[in-house]
Amino acid sequence: LLPEKGVDDFAYIPLLIHLNKINSGCEINILKSHKDASSYEFLPFEVKCYVISDKDISLLKAGQLAHTFKDLFNITHFYNLRETLSSAYLGRAFRAKYRMGFSYMVNQVFYTHTYEKKAEVAQDVLALGLLESLLSEKLEPVSLEQPPLSDTYENLILDLSPPNYEKAVMKKFV
C-alpha cells in the first residue's frame, strides 16, 4: 500500500481490515513518507511500515528502491493511492502480481486493475474502491467493534472509589 501524501492514516484502516478479512494471515506492508506507525498499532493484526522519501519514488530510482526493500519484492498486491507516474511504476518494480490504482492519464499502463477517481469523495471510499474493482463486488462499511458495557454508567461510577492518597502520603512520612 502506498498512501497519498498529506492524508490521515486512519482513512486507510477500512481497506486494511478488508484486506485482512479476505486474505487471513497475509502480510500487510505500507510505504510511508513519515516514520510514525502508531496509527496502526491498535489493529488486531500486524502491519509493517517502511519509510521512504518522496525523492526515492521516481522512474529511475524505482528499481533501486525495490532492491533495498527485499521483503516487498515479488508481492501479490500493490495498492497505489497516489496519482503520479513514478508511484504507478513502483508496483511494477516490486513485481506485484496485481497492481491497483486510479485511472489517471498514462498511469493505466502500469496497473492490472484501475478505479475511476471521483471528485469530492472521501479517501477511505476511494481506497475501498480499489479493492472492490479487484473483487468485482461491493464491500460493506467497516467499523471497529467496541466491547459491550455490562452495566450502566451510573452503577460504574458508584462502584468506583478513588484511591486513598492520604494513607499513601502518611505512610511515607511516618
Side-chain angles (χ1 to χ4, degrees), residues 5-169:
K5 295 186 299 185
V7 175
D8 188 23
D9 290 340
F10 292 107
Y12 303 114
I13 288 178
L15 174 66
L16 297 175
I17 290 172
H18 275 296
L19 282 173
N20 191 47
K21 279 183 183 177
I22 293 167
N23 304 317
S24 61
C26 70
E27 184 177 300
I28 298 176
N29 302 301
I30 298 177
L31 296 171
K32 297 175 66 168
S33 54
H34 55 87
K35 195 170 185 171
D36 184 32
S38 62
S39 44
Y40 304 115
E41 288 177 352
F42 70 92
L43 291 172
F45 49 89
E46 184 181 357
V47 175
K48 293 182 181 178
C49 293
Y50 297 92
V51 179
I52 57 169
S53 69
D54 292 331
K55 296 175 187 175
D56 291 337
I57 301 175
S58 69
L59 290 172
L60 298 175
K61 292 185 178 182
Q64 181 183 7
L65 186 67
H67 180 70
T68 55
F69 293 117
K70 292 184 181 189
D71 294 342
L72 303 178
F73 200 68
N74 288 330
I75 55 177
T76 310
H77 294 85
F78 179 77
Y79 296 90
N80 183 20
L81 301 170
R82 298 185 182 186
E83 292 181 357
T84 62
L85 181 65
S86 54
S87 65
Y89 182 72
L90 196 58
R92 189 172 181 92
F94 283 128
R95 305 236 174 144
K97 185 175 182 180
Y98 301 104
R99 298 176 303 275
M100 279 74 60
F102 300 120
S103 55
Y104 182 74
M105 297 168 77
V106 185
N107 295 359
Q108 299 176 20
V109 174
F110 298 113
Y111 297 136
T112 58
H113 295 84
T114 58
Y115 180 70
E116 188 69 37
K117 187 173 184 178
K118 299 170 183 79
E120 298 181 17
V121 176
Q123 193 66 28
D124 57 341
V125 175
L126 290 174
L128 279 179
L130 286 175
L131 186 58
E132 289 172 351
S133 71
L134 175 68
L135 300 174
S136 300
E137 65 182 52
K138 185 78 174 158
L139 297 173
E140 59 188 52
V142 173
S143 65
L144 296 175
E145 295 178 10
Q146 181 180 10
L149 292 175
S150 61
D151 221 345
T152 62
Y153 289 113
E154 293 84 17
N155 290 340
L156 288 173
I157 292 171
L158 291 175
D159 290 341
L160 293 176
S161 59
N164 200 343
Y165 293 113
E166 294 172 359
K167 285 183 181 177
V169 170

